[in-house]
Amino acid sequence: MPRGKRTVFGVFCNEPSCPHSGERLGSMRFHKQDKMGKSWKEHAAKLEKYCPTARKRVAVKLKEEKHSSN
């Protein structure tokens, strides 16, 4: 049974001092809006992830990914 539409976002390194800034770190799924009325942008604003190239936790940039609609 479907639980609501979620969008897949690619997670990318956003550290300017990192030589491989823009490296893909993974993916995340967010609802366009959660039950409390928060959008995915509000959740992603404070999101940090470990970057193995920079060897520290960095702020990330999210990009919506297109997937097949089968």
Side-chain angles (χ1 to χ4, degrees):
M1 188 157 103
R3 300 279 184 225
K5 294 194 174 193
R6 294 187 293 172
T7 306
V8 178
F9 294 90
V11 180
F12 296 90
C13 178
N14 198 22
E15 181 67 27
S17 65
C18 180
H20 297 285
S21 185
E23 180 179 354
R24 191 174 193 279
L25 301 175
S27 63
M28 302 202 110
R29 290 175 186 250
F30 287 108
H31 285 277
K32 288 285 187 182
Q33 206 171 35
D34 68 1
K35 293 178 185 176
M36 303 301 282
K38 282 186 162 183
S39 72
W40 63 270
K41 290 181 183 178
E42 293 176 271
H43 289 292
K46 54 191 166 200
L47 186 66
E48 288 186 338
K49 202 154 171 72
Y50 178 78
C51 177
T53 309
R55 294 186 178 162
K56 61 181 178 179
R57 290 178 66 84
V58 296
V60 294
K61 187 176 184 181
L62 297 182
K63 292 182 187 173
E64 190 171 338
E65 293 183 340
K66 174 73 175 155
H67 289 278
S68 64
S69 56
N70 291 336

